Amino acid sequence: MKKAILLESVSKKYEVGSSSLEVIKDLTFDVNENEFVCIVGPSGCGKTTLLRIVSGLEPPSSGRVLVFDTPPDPRRQKFGVIFQEDSLLPWRTVLGNVKFGLELQGYKETEHEKIARTYIELVGLQGFENYYPHQISGGMKKRVAIARALAINPDLILMDEPFADLDAQTRSLMQRELLNVWSKLNKTVLFITHNVEEAVFLAQRVFVLTKRPSKVKQIINIDLPYPRARLSPPFISYRERILTAFHEELEGI
Amino acid sequence: MLYALSSVIIFFIFWELIALYSPSPYLPDPYSVLRAFITILTVGDVDGYTLTWHAVVSLERVLLGFAVGTATGIPIGMLLGIKPTLKGAVTPIIEPLRFIPPIAWIPLSIVLLIGLWRYIFLIWIGVFFPVLLDTIAGVKRTSITLIQMARTFGADNKKIITKIVFPSSLPEIMNGLRVGLGVGWMCIVAAEMIGGEPVGLGRLILKYANLLQIDVVIVGMITIGLIGLALNYLILLLEKRMFRWRVEIRA
Protein backbone atom coordinates (compact mmCIF):
# COMPACT_ATOMS: atom_id res chain seq x y z
CA MET A 1 0.00 0.00 0.00
CA LYS A 2 1.20 3.51 -0.78
CA LYS A 3 2.56 5.45 2.19
CA ALA A 4 1.16 8.90 2.75
CA ILE A 5 3.58 9.71 5.56
CA LEU A 6 6.84 8.04 6.43
CA LEU A 7 9.07 9.05 9.35
CA GLU A 8 12.38 7.32 9.92
CA SER A 9 14.39 7.99 13.11
CA VAL A 10 13.28 11.59 13.21
CA SER A 11 14.73 13.77 15.94
CA LYS A 12 14.20 17.44 16.69
CA LYS A 13 16.34 19.54 18.98
CA TYR A 14 15.94 23.19 19.80
CA GLU A 15 18.96 25.19 20.84
CA VAL A 16 17.99 27.42 23.75
CA GLY A 17 21.01 29.54 24.59
CA SER A 18 23.80 27.14 25.41
CA SER A 19 21.56 24.20 26.30
CA SER A 20 19.53 22.16 23.86
CA LEU A 21 16.05 20.77 24.26
CA GLU A 22 15.33 17.48 22.56
CA VAL A 23 11.62 17.36 21.74
CA ILE A 24 11.46 14.33 19.48
CA LYS A 25 13.94 11.47 19.48
CA ASP A 26 14.18 8.59 17.08
CA LEU A 27 10.56 8.74 16.01
CA THR A 28 9.55 6.21 13.39
CA PHE A 29 6.09 5.53 11.97
CA ASP A 30 4.12 5.48 8.76
CA VAL A 31 0.60 6.37 7.72
CA ASN A 32 -1.12 4.69 4.79
CA GLU A 33 -2.97 6.53 2.10
CA ASN A 34 -6.59 7.29 3.06
CA GLU A 35 -5.93 6.20 6.60
CA PHE A 36 -7.17 8.02 9.70
CA VAL A 37 -4.47 8.06 12.35
CA CYS A 38 -4.65 9.73 15.76
CA ILE A 39 -1.59 10.64 17.77
CA VAL A 40 -2.04 10.89 21.52
CA GLY A 41 0.58 11.86 24.04
CA PRO A 42 1.09 13.86 27.21
CA SER A 43 1.14 17.62 26.83
CA GLY A 44 4.51 19.07 26.00
CA CYS A 45 5.53 15.88 24.22
CA GLY A 46 6.18 17.57 20.92
CA LYS A 47 2.92 16.75 19.13
CA THR A 48 2.73 20.18 17.59
CA THR A 49 6.40 20.05 16.60
CA LEU A 50 5.69 16.73 14.93
CA LEU A 51 2.90 18.31 12.93
CA ARG A 52 5.11 21.19 11.90
CA ILE A 53 7.70 18.72 10.68
CA VAL A 54 5.18 16.65 8.72
CA SER A 55 3.73 19.78 7.09
CA GLY A 56 7.19 20.97 6.08
CA LEU A 57 7.11 24.13 8.19
CA GLU A 58 10.25 22.96 10.01
CA PRO A 59 12.96 20.50 9.02
CA PRO A 60 13.87 17.69 11.44
CA SER A 61 17.27 17.89 13.13
CA SER A 62 18.01 14.39 11.87
CA GLY A 63 16.16 11.51 10.27
CA ARG A 64 14.00 11.28 7.19
CA VAL A 65 10.47 12.60 6.54
CA LEU A 66 8.59 11.68 3.40
CA VAL A 67 5.10 12.73 2.43
CA PHE A 68 3.97 10.84 -0.66
CA ASP A 69 7.58 9.89 -1.31
CA THR A 70 9.03 13.41 -1.22
CA PRO A 71 10.22 15.67 1.60
CA PRO A 72 7.18 17.73 2.63
CA ASP A 73 6.93 21.16 1.02
CA PRO A 74 3.72 23.18 1.25
CA ARG A 75 4.67 25.14 -1.86
CA ARG A 76 4.57 22.02 -4.01
CA GLN A 77 2.16 19.80 -2.10
CA LYS A 78 -1.29 20.46 -0.81
CA PHE A 79 -1.72 20.23 2.93
CA GLY A 80 -4.91 20.97 4.77
CA VAL A 81 -3.77 22.01 8.23
CA ILE A 82 -6.28 22.74 10.97
CA PHE A 83 -4.93 24.47 14.05
CA GLN A 84 -6.08 24.36 17.62
CA GLU A 85 -6.18 28.15 17.82
CA ASP A 86 -8.55 30.25 15.84
CA SER A 87 -6.80 30.67 12.49
CA LEU A 88 -9.48 32.51 10.53
CA LEU A 89 -8.68 35.89 9.03
CA PRO A 90 -10.87 38.26 11.08
CA TRP A 91 -11.08 40.78 8.23
CA ARG A 92 -12.55 38.27 5.81
CA THR A 93 -16.03 36.82 5.72
CA VAL A 94 -16.68 33.08 5.89
CA LEU A 95 -16.64 32.98 2.09
CA GLY A 96 -13.44 35.04 1.92
CA ASN A 97 -11.74 32.75 4.43
CA VAL A 98 -12.63 29.60 2.51
CA LYS A 99 -11.32 31.24 -0.67
CA PHE A 100 -7.99 32.04 1.00
CA GLY A 101 -6.29 28.69 0.36
CA LEU A 102 -7.56 28.63 -3.22
CA GLU A 103 -5.97 32.02 -3.87
CA LEU A 104 -2.62 30.82 -2.57
CA GLN A 105 -2.75 27.54 -4.43
CA GLY A 106 -3.16 29.25 -7.76
CA TYR A 107 -6.68 28.19 -8.60
CA LYS A 108 -8.33 30.21 -11.32
CA GLU A 109 -10.06 33.21 -9.82
CA THR A 110 -13.30 32.43 -11.60
CA GLU A 111 -13.43 29.10 -9.79
CA HIS A 112 -12.83 30.36 -6.24
CA GLU A 113 -16.39 31.28 -5.48
CA LYS A 114 -17.93 28.08 -6.78
CA ILE A 115 -15.46 25.78 -5.02
CA ALA A 116 -15.68 27.76 -1.77
CA ARG A 117 -19.48 27.58 -1.78
CA THR A 118 -19.36 23.81 -2.36
CA TYR A 119 -17.23 23.26 0.74
CA ILE A 120 -19.18 25.75 2.84
CA GLU A 121 -22.20 23.62 2.07
CA LEU A 122 -20.30 20.42 2.86
CA VAL A 123 -19.61 21.66 6.41
CA GLY A 124 -23.18 22.90 6.76
CA LEU A 125 -22.57 26.64 6.78
CA GLN A 126 -24.73 27.70 3.84
CA GLY A 127 -26.40 31.01 4.70
CA PHE A 128 -23.38 32.19 6.71
CA GLU A 129 -21.17 33.06 3.72
CA ASN A 130 -21.13 36.78 4.47
CA TYR A 131 -20.66 36.59 8.23
CA TYR A 132 -17.41 37.72 9.80
CA PRO A 133 -15.60 35.35 12.21
CA HIS A 134 -16.51 37.45 15.26
CA GLN A 135 -20.17 36.93 14.45
CA ILE A 136 -20.14 33.11 14.54
CA SER A 137 -19.58 30.49 17.27
CA GLY A 138 -16.41 28.54 18.02
CA GLY A 139 -17.80 25.38 16.42
CA MET A 140 -18.73 27.28 13.26
CA LYS A 141 -15.25 28.79 13.09
CA LYS A 142 -13.80 25.27 13.16
CA ARG A 143 -16.11 24.30 10.30
CA VAL A 144 -14.87 27.27 8.29
CA ALA A 145 -11.27 26.21 8.95
CA ILE A 146 -12.13 22.68 7.83
CA ALA A 147 -13.88 23.94 4.70
CA ARG A 148 -10.89 26.14 3.91
CA ALA A 149 -8.52 23.17 4.28
CA LEU A 150 -10.68 20.82 2.21
CA ALA A 151 -11.36 23.35 -0.54
CA ILE A 152 -7.85 23.01 -1.97
CA ASN A 153 -8.39 19.25 -2.31
CA PRO A 154 -5.45 18.45 -0.04
CA ASP A 155 -3.31 15.35 -0.35
CA LEU A 156 -3.06 15.23 3.42
CA ILE A 157 -5.11 16.60 6.28
CA LEU A 158 -3.23 17.50 9.44
CA MET A 159 -5.23 18.42 12.52
CA ASP A 160 -3.67 19.76 15.73
CA GLU A 161 -6.15 19.29 18.58
CA PRO A 162 -8.75 21.07 16.49
CA PHE A 163 -11.68 20.48 18.82
CA ALA A 164 -9.91 21.01 22.15
CA ASP A 165 -11.47 24.41 22.77
CA LEU A 166 -15.04 23.34 21.99
CA ASP A 167 -17.69 22.34 24.50
CA ALA A 168 -18.40 18.60 24.84
CA GLN A 169 -21.55 18.53 22.71
CA THR A 170 -20.13 20.59 19.88
CA ARG A 171 -17.00 18.47 19.98
CA SER A 172 -18.81 15.15 19.57
CA LEU A 173 -20.93 16.64 16.78
CA MET A 174 -17.79 17.86 15.01
CA GLN A 175 -16.18 14.44 15.41
CA ARG A 176 -19.13 12.72 13.72
CA GLU A 177 -19.15 15.25 10.91
CA LEU A 178 -15.42 14.92 10.40
CA LEU A 179 -15.86 11.17 9.96
CA ASN A 180 -18.65 11.83 7.47
CA VAL A 181 -16.46 14.14 5.45
CA TRP A 182 -13.54 11.73 5.64
CA SER A 183 -15.62 8.80 4.38
CA LYS A 184 -16.96 10.94 1.54
CA LEU A 185 -13.65 12.41 0.39
CA ASN A 186 -11.17 9.58 0.97
CA LYS A 187 -8.36 11.57 2.50
CA THR A 188 -5.40 10.73 4.68
CA VAL A 189 -5.83 12.29 8.11
CA LEU A 190 -3.23 12.75 10.82
CA PHE A 191 -5.09 13.95 13.89
CA ILE A 192 -3.31 15.06 17.06
CA THR A 193 -5.17 15.03 20.36
CA HIS A 194 -4.69 14.46 24.07
CA ASN A 195 -8.26 13.18 24.35
CA VAL A 196 -8.14 9.38 24.34
CA GLU A 197 -11.86 8.93 23.78
CA GLU A 198 -11.67 11.20 20.74
CA ALA A 199 -8.83 9.09 19.36
CA VAL A 200 -10.74 5.81 19.79
CA PHE A 201 -13.85 7.34 18.24
CA LEU A 202 -12.05 8.64 15.16
CA ALA A 203 -8.98 6.63 14.29
CA GLN A 204 -8.20 3.40 12.51
CA ARG A 205 -4.87 3.42 14.27
CA VAL A 206 -3.78 5.25 17.40
CA PHE A 207 -0.13 6.07 18.06
CA VAL A 208 0.67 6.69 21.71
CA LEU A 209 3.76 8.86 22.15
CA THR A 210 6.10 8.80 25.12
CA LYS A 211 6.88 11.89 27.13
CA ARG A 212 9.64 14.19 25.87
CA PRO A 213 11.80 13.34 23.98
CA SER A 214 8.98 11.61 22.18
CA LYS A 215 8.93 8.41 20.28
CA VAL A 216 6.16 5.94 19.55
CA LYS A 217 5.34 3.96 22.68
CA GLN A 218 2.56 1.85 21.25
CA ILE A 219 0.48 1.47 18.11
CA ILE A 220 -3.08 0.30 18.58
CA ASN A 221 -5.35 -0.80 15.74
CA ILE A 222 -8.96 0.06 16.43
CA ASP A 223 -10.89 -2.74 14.76
CA LEU A 224 -14.35 -1.29 15.20
CA PRO A 225 -16.78 -0.39 12.43
CA TYR A 226 -17.92 3.21 12.03
CA PRO A 227 -19.97 4.80 13.49
CA ARG A 228 -18.66 3.75 16.84
CA ALA A 229 -20.71 3.59 20.02
CA ARG A 230 -18.83 5.25 22.83
CA LEU A 231 -20.43 3.11 25.51
CA SER A 232 -19.97 -0.29 23.85
CA PRO A 233 -17.69 -2.74 25.74
CA PRO A 234 -15.06 -3.02 22.99
CA PHE A 235 -14.89 0.79 22.72
CA ILE A 236 -14.35 1.06 26.45
CA SER A 237 -11.71 -1.64 26.45
CA TYR A 238 -9.76 0.14 23.69
CA ARG A 239 -10.06 3.32 25.64
CA GLU A 240 -8.74 1.67 28.79
CA ARG A 241 -5.82 0.13 26.94
CA ILE A 242 -4.76 3.49 25.53
CA LEU A 243 -5.37 5.28 28.81
CA THR A 244 -3.10 2.81 30.59
CA ALA A 245 -0.26 3.45 28.17
CA PHE A 246 -0.97 7.17 28.33
CA HIS A 247 -0.96 7.31 32.13
CA GLU A 248 2.34 5.49 32.39
CA GLU A 249 3.78 8.43 30.48
CA LEU A 250 1.99 11.04 32.56
CA GLU A 251 3.43 9.67 35.80
CA GLY A 252 6.95 10.54 34.80
CA ILE A 253 6.17 14.25 34.39
CA MET B 1 -25.98 67.20 23.47
CA LEU B 2 -27.50 69.59 25.99
CA TYR B 3 -24.36 69.47 28.10
CA ALA B 4 -22.18 70.12 25.05
CA LEU B 5 -24.29 73.13 24.11
CA SER B 6 -24.19 74.60 27.60
CA SER B 7 -20.43 74.20 27.85
CA VAL B 8 -20.03 76.09 24.58
CA ILE B 9 -22.28 78.89 25.88
CA ILE B 10 -20.36 79.05 29.17
CA PHE B 11 -17.10 79.19 27.20
CA PHE B 12 -18.29 82.24 25.26
CA ILE B 13 -19.56 83.95 28.42
CA PHE B 14 -16.15 83.50 30.04
CA TRP B 15 -14.44 84.80 26.94
CA GLU B 16 -16.72 87.85 26.90
CA LEU B 17 -16.00 88.52 30.59
CA ILE B 18 -12.25 88.20 30.17
CA ALA B 19 -12.31 90.52 27.15
CA LEU B 20 -14.44 93.01 29.10
CA TYR B 21 -12.22 93.18 32.20
CA SER B 22 -8.84 92.55 30.59
CA PRO B 23 -6.45 95.51 30.82
CA SER B 24 -5.13 94.70 27.33
CA PRO B 25 -6.70 96.73 24.52
CA TYR B 26 -5.87 93.99 22.00
CA LEU B 27 -8.03 91.16 23.34
CA PRO B 28 -11.15 90.97 21.17
CA ASP B 29 -14.54 89.76 22.40
CA PRO B 30 -16.46 86.98 20.58
CA TYR B 31 -18.60 89.48 18.71
CA SER B 32 -15.67 91.28 17.08
CA VAL B 33 -14.16 87.93 16.15
CA LEU B 34 -17.45 86.99 14.47
CA ARG B 35 -17.40 90.28 12.58
CA ALA B 36 -13.80 89.71 11.52
CA PHE B 37 -14.76 86.18 10.45
CA ILE B 38 -17.51 87.46 8.18
CA THR B 39 -15.28 90.15 6.71
CA ILE B 40 -12.42 87.76 5.93
CA LEU B 41 -14.83 85.18 4.57
CA THR B 42 -16.67 87.54 2.24
CA VAL B 43 -14.36 90.49 1.53
CA GLY B 44 -10.95 88.96 2.17
CA ASP B 45 -7.85 90.03 4.07
CA VAL B 46 -5.56 93.03 3.50
CA ASP B 47 -4.17 91.35 0.38
CA GLY B 48 -7.64 90.39 -0.89
CA TYR B 49 -7.50 86.65 -0.13
CA THR B 50 -10.68 85.21 1.37
CA LEU B 51 -10.79 82.78 4.26
CA THR B 52 -11.87 79.93 1.99
CA TRP B 53 -8.89 80.59 -0.23
CA HIS B 54 -6.54 80.51 2.76
CA ALA B 55 -8.07 77.25 3.96
CA VAL B 56 -7.90 75.55 0.54
CA VAL B 57 -4.25 76.49 0.05
CA SER B 58 -3.33 75.25 3.53
CA LEU B 59 -5.26 72.03 3.01
CA GLU B 60 -3.48 71.47 -0.27
CA ARG B 61 -0.08 71.86 1.39
CA VAL B 62 -0.99 69.60 4.28
CA LEU B 63 -2.40 66.92 2.03
CA LEU B 64 0.77 66.96 -0.05
CA GLY B 65 2.89 66.56 3.06
CA PHE B 66 0.49 63.91 4.30
CA ALA B 67 0.79 61.98 1.04
CA VAL B 68 4.58 62.01 1.26
CA GLY B 69 4.42 61.09 4.95
CA THR B 70 2.14 58.15 4.20
CA ALA B 71 4.15 57.00 1.20
CA THR B 72 7.28 56.90 3.34
CA GLY B 73 5.86 55.98 6.77
CA ILE B 74 3.90 52.87 5.77
CA PRO B 75 6.60 51.07 3.73
CA ILE B 76 9.40 51.95 6.14
CA GLY B 77 7.19 50.94 9.06
CA MET B 78 6.37 47.61 7.40
CA LEU B 79 10.05 46.98 6.74
CA LEU B 80 11.12 47.85 10.30
CA GLY B 81 8.28 45.83 11.76
CA ILE B 82 9.26 42.77 9.76
CA LYS B 83 13.00 43.12 10.35
CA PRO B 84 13.59 43.65 14.08
CA THR B 85 17.38 43.78 13.67
CA LEU B 86 17.06 46.64 11.19
CA LYS B 87 14.69 48.37 13.58
CA GLY B 88 17.20 47.95 16.38
CA ALA B 89 19.87 49.46 14.15
CA VAL B 90 17.90 52.61 13.26
CA THR B 91 16.19 53.16 16.63
CA PRO B 92 18.99 55.42 17.95
CA ILE B 93 18.41 57.69 14.95
CA ILE B 94 14.62 57.62 14.86
CA GLU B 95 13.84 57.95 18.54
CA PRO B 96 15.54 61.32 19.22
CA LEU B 97 14.44 62.70 15.82
CA ARG B 98 10.78 62.33 16.64
CA PHE B 99 11.03 64.62 19.65
CA ILE B 100 12.37 67.58 17.66
CA PRO B 101 9.41 69.92 17.04
CA PRO B 102 8.69 71.16 13.49
CA ILE B 103 9.52 74.77 14.42
CA ALA B 104 13.08 73.71 15.26
CA TRP B 105 13.47 72.41 11.71
CA ILE B 106 12.68 75.78 10.12
CA PRO B 107 16.23 77.11 9.75
CA LEU B 108 17.51 73.82 8.32
CA SER B 109 14.68 73.55 5.84
CA ILE B 110 15.36 77.10 4.67
CA VAL B 111 19.00 76.17 4.11
CA LEU B 112 18.30 72.83 2.45
CA LEU B 113 15.04 73.20 0.53
CA ILE B 114 13.24 75.54 -1.78
CA GLY B 115 9.64 76.48 -2.50
CA LEU B 116 6.91 73.95 -1.95
CA TRP B 117 9.37 71.39 -0.57
CA ARG B 118 9.76 73.45 2.58
CA TYR B 119 6.06 73.13 3.33
CA ILE B 120 6.06 69.45 2.46
CA PHE B 121 9.06 68.76 4.63
CA LEU B 122 7.73 70.50 7.74
CA ILE B 123 4.36 68.77 7.46
CA TRP B 124 6.05 65.47 6.71
CA ILE B 125 7.88 65.80 10.05
CA GLY B 126 4.49 65.82 11.75
CA VAL B 127 2.95 63.02 9.68
CA PHE B 128 5.81 60.57 9.34
CA PHE B 129 6.44 59.52 12.94
CA PRO B 130 2.90 58.64 14.01
CA VAL B 131 2.39 56.70 10.77
CA LEU B 132 5.75 54.93 11.15
CA LEU B 133 5.28 53.97 14.78
CA ASP B 134 1.71 52.74 14.38
CA THR B 135 2.64 50.73 11.29
CA ILE B 136 5.45 49.03 13.23
CA ALA B 137 3.06 48.35 16.12
CA GLY B 138 0.50 46.88 13.71
CA VAL B 139 3.02 44.59 12.05
CA LYS B 140 4.23 43.38 15.44
CA ARG B 141 0.72 42.47 16.49
CA THR B 142 0.20 40.17 13.52
CA SER B 143 -0.80 36.73 14.77
CA ILE B 144 1.87 34.03 14.38
CA THR B 145 -0.89 31.45 13.89
CA LEU B 146 -2.19 33.31 10.83
CA ILE B 147 1.30 33.44 9.33
CA GLN B 148 1.81 29.72 9.90
CA MET B 149 -1.60 29.00 8.49
CA ALA B 150 -0.70 30.88 5.32
CA ARG B 151 2.62 29.01 5.12
CA THR B 152 0.86 25.65 5.25
CA PHE B 153 -1.08 26.79 2.18
CA GLY B 154 2.25 27.43 0.45
CA ALA B 155 2.44 31.21 0.81
CA ASP B 156 5.83 32.80 0.15
CA ASN B 157 7.09 35.87 2.00
CA LYS B 158 5.55 38.29 -0.47
CA LYS B 159 2.12 36.69 -0.12
CA ILE B 160 2.45 36.65 3.66
CA ILE B 161 3.08 40.38 3.66
CA THR B 162 0.32 41.32 1.24
CA LYS B 163 -2.32 38.86 2.42
CA ILE B 164 -1.64 38.57 6.16
CA VAL B 165 0.67 41.22 7.62
CA PHE B 166 -0.67 44.26 5.77
CA PRO B 167 -4.42 43.66 6.22
CA SER B 168 -3.90 42.64 9.81
CA SER B 169 -1.95 45.85 10.56
CA LEU B 170 -4.40 48.06 8.70
CA PRO B 171 -6.39 49.16 11.78
CA GLU B 172 -3.19 50.41 13.45
CA ILE B 173 -2.01 51.97 10.19
CA MET B 174 -5.29 53.86 9.84
CA ASN B 175 -4.95 55.05 13.40
CA GLY B 176 -1.46 56.31 12.53
CA LEU B 177 -2.84 58.08 9.47
CA ARG B 178 -5.50 59.78 11.57
CA VAL B 179 -3.02 60.95 14.20
CA GLY B 180 -0.49 61.85 11.49
CA LEU B 181 -2.97 63.96 9.57
CA GLY B 182 -3.87 65.75 12.79
CA VAL B 183 -0.25 66.46 13.71
CA GLY B 184 0.57 67.42 10.12
CA TRP B 185 -2.32 69.87 10.13
CA MET B 186 -1.02 71.34 13.39
CA CYS B 187 2.33 71.96 11.66
CA ILE B 188 0.72 74.24 9.07
CA VAL B 189 1.53 77.46 10.96
CA ALA B 190 5.18 76.47 11.33
CA ALA B 191 5.34 75.47 7.67
CA GLU B 192 3.82 78.72 6.46
CA MET B 193 6.22 80.78 8.57
CA ILE B 194 8.93 80.10 6.03
CA GLY B 195 7.05 80.18 2.74
CA GLY B 196 7.16 83.64 1.24
CA GLU B 197 3.65 83.43 -0.17
CA PRO B 198 0.93 85.53 1.49
CA VAL B 199 -1.75 82.79 1.48
CA GLY B 200 -2.57 80.02 3.92
CA LEU B 201 -4.20 79.95 7.34
CA GLY B 202 -0.85 80.06 9.10
CA ARG B 203 0.14 82.99 6.94
CA LEU B 204 -3.12 84.74 7.80
CA ILE B 205 -2.39 84.40 11.51
CA LEU B 206 1.18 85.67 11.16
CA LYS B 207 0.14 88.56 8.94
CA TYR B 208 -2.47 89.84 11.39
CA ALA B 209 -0.27 89.17 14.41
CA ASN B 210 2.13 91.69 12.94
CA LEU B 211 -0.74 94.13 12.47
CA LEU B 212 -1.83 93.50 16.08
CA GLN B 213 -5.34 92.63 14.87
CA ILE B 214 -5.93 89.74 17.18
CA ASP B 215 -9.56 89.22 16.10
CA VAL B 216 -8.41 87.95 12.71
CA VAL B 217 -5.68 85.89 14.39
CA ILE B 218 -8.42 84.14 16.37
CA VAL B 219 -10.45 83.65 13.18
CA GLY B 220 -7.45 81.79 11.75
CA MET B 221 -7.00 79.74 14.92
CA ILE B 222 -10.65 78.72 15.06
CA THR B 223 -10.64 77.80 11.37
CA ILE B 224 -7.57 75.60 11.88
CA GLY B 225 -9.26 73.93 14.85
CA LEU B 226 -12.51 73.27 13.01
CA ILE B 227 -10.84 71.89 9.88
CA GLY B 228 -8.64 69.63 12.05
CA LEU B 229 -11.76 68.36 13.75
CA ALA B 230 -13.43 67.69 10.41
CA LEU B 231 -10.38 65.81 9.05
CA ASN B 232 -10.24 63.64 12.14
CA TYR B 233 -13.93 62.88 11.90
CA LEU B 234 -13.64 61.98 8.22
CA ILE B 235 -10.94 59.41 8.89
CA LEU B 236 -12.86 58.01 11.86
CA LEU B 237 -15.83 57.56 9.55
CA LEU B 238 -13.63 55.81 6.99
CA GLU B 239 -12.20 53.54 9.70
CA LYS B 240 -15.67 52.58 10.84
CA ARG B 241 -16.59 51.61 7.30
CA MET B 242 -13.37 49.70 6.68
CA PHE B 243 -13.25 47.78 9.93
CA ARG B 244 -16.76 46.49 10.32
CA TRP B 245 -15.12 43.13 11.04
CA ARG B 246 -13.67 44.65 14.18
CA VAL B 247 -16.62 46.57 15.54
CA GLU B 248 -17.56 44.11 18.25
CA ILE B 249 -14.01 43.45 19.33
CA ARG B 250 -13.70 47.12 20.19
CA ALA B 251 -16.98 47.35 22.07
Side-chain angles (χ1 to χ4, degrees), chain B residues 45 81 98 108 142-143 184 209 239:
Chain B
D45 67 359
R98 74 187 177 96
L108 260 185
T142 309
S143 143
E239 278 182 52

Side-chain angles (χ1 to χ4, degrees), chain A residues 142-198:
Chain A
K142 279 285 146 16
R143 288 166 198 261
V144 178
I146 292 171
R148 178 176 64 190
L150 293 175
I152 63 165
N153 189 21
D155 309 313
L156 182 62
I157 296 172
L158 301 164
M159 306 180 95
D160 185 9
E161 305 201 30
F163 307 145
D165 297 337
L166 303 178
D167 62 81
Q169 272 135 345
T170 312
R171 185 190 307 156
S172 74
L173 178 70
M174 295 295 293
Q175 289 165 353
R176 270 176 280 148
E177 293 193 3
L178 177 63
L179 285 178
N180 270 336
V181 168
W182 172 65
S183 65
K184 264 187 223 163
L185 299 179
N186 269 327
K187 298 279 178 196
T188 312
V189 182
L190 185 66
F191 188 108
I192 287 171
T193 178
H194 61 258
N195 183 330
V196 172
E197 189 192 90
E198 181 168 68

Side-chain angles (χ1 to χ4, degrees), chain B residues 1-199:
Chain B
M1 191 61 201
L2 197 66
Y3 287 123
L5 194 69
S6 22
S7 79
V8 170
I9 291 170
I10 290 169
F11 171 79
F12 279 108
I13 290 174
F14 262 98
W15 179 1
E16 183 69 46
L17 287 174
I18 291 169
L20 214 60
Y21 294 106
S22 161
S24 165
Y26 298 110
L27 188 67
D29 62 0
Y31 180 65
S32 41
V33 170
L34 181 67
R35 250 186 349 207
F37 178 80
I38 291 167
T39 310
I40 302 290
L41 189 67
T42 52
V43 184
D45 67 359
V46 284
D47 298 314
Y49 298 108
T50 62
L51 188 61
T52 318
W53 190 241
H54 284 296
V56 167
V57 170
S58 286
L59 258 175
E60 224 171 59
R61 289 169 182 156
V62 169
L63 289 181
L64 263 174
F66 177 68
V68 179
T70 305
T72 48
I74 294 176
I76 296 177
M78 295 282 294
L79 185 71
L80 296 187
I82 292 163
K83 304 246 179 239
T85 39
L86 189 61
K87 179 171 175 279
V90 297
T91 296
I93 303 171
I94 287 179
E95 279 297 301
L97 275 182
R98 74 187 177 96
F99 292 108
I100 302 172
I103 292 186
W105 287 99
I106 287 179
L108 260 185
S109 63
I110 292 175
V111 173
L112 290 172
L113 302 165
I114 50 156
L116 192 59
W117 287 107
R118 290 180 183 172
Y119 298 115
I120 292 179
F121 173 71
L122 281 178
I123 287 159
W124 175 84
I125 292 276
V127 176
F128 178 72
F129 291 103
V131 173
L132 179 84
L133 295 180
D134 274 353
T135 305
I136 293 175
V139 171
K140 290 215 155 151
R141 279 200 15 202
T142 309
S143 143
I144 303 285
T145 308
L146 294 188
I147 292 175
Q148 289 190 353
M149 181 276 292
R151 288 229 186 274
T152 64
F153 280 114
D156 54 15
N157 288 339
K158 203 180 123 204
K159 285 273 161 62
I160 299 241
I161 290 169
T162 56
K163 284 188 181 278
I164 304 284
V165 179
F166 183 71
S168 134
S169 336
L170 208 50
E172 272 84 8
I173 294 177
M174 283 301 289
N175 191 59
L177 293 188
R178 191 168 53 80
V179 176
L181 186 56
V183 179
W185 180 244
M186 282 165 64
C187 295
I188 187 66
V189 182
E192 290 178 353
M193 274 182 174
I194 49 173
E197 292 141 275
V199 257

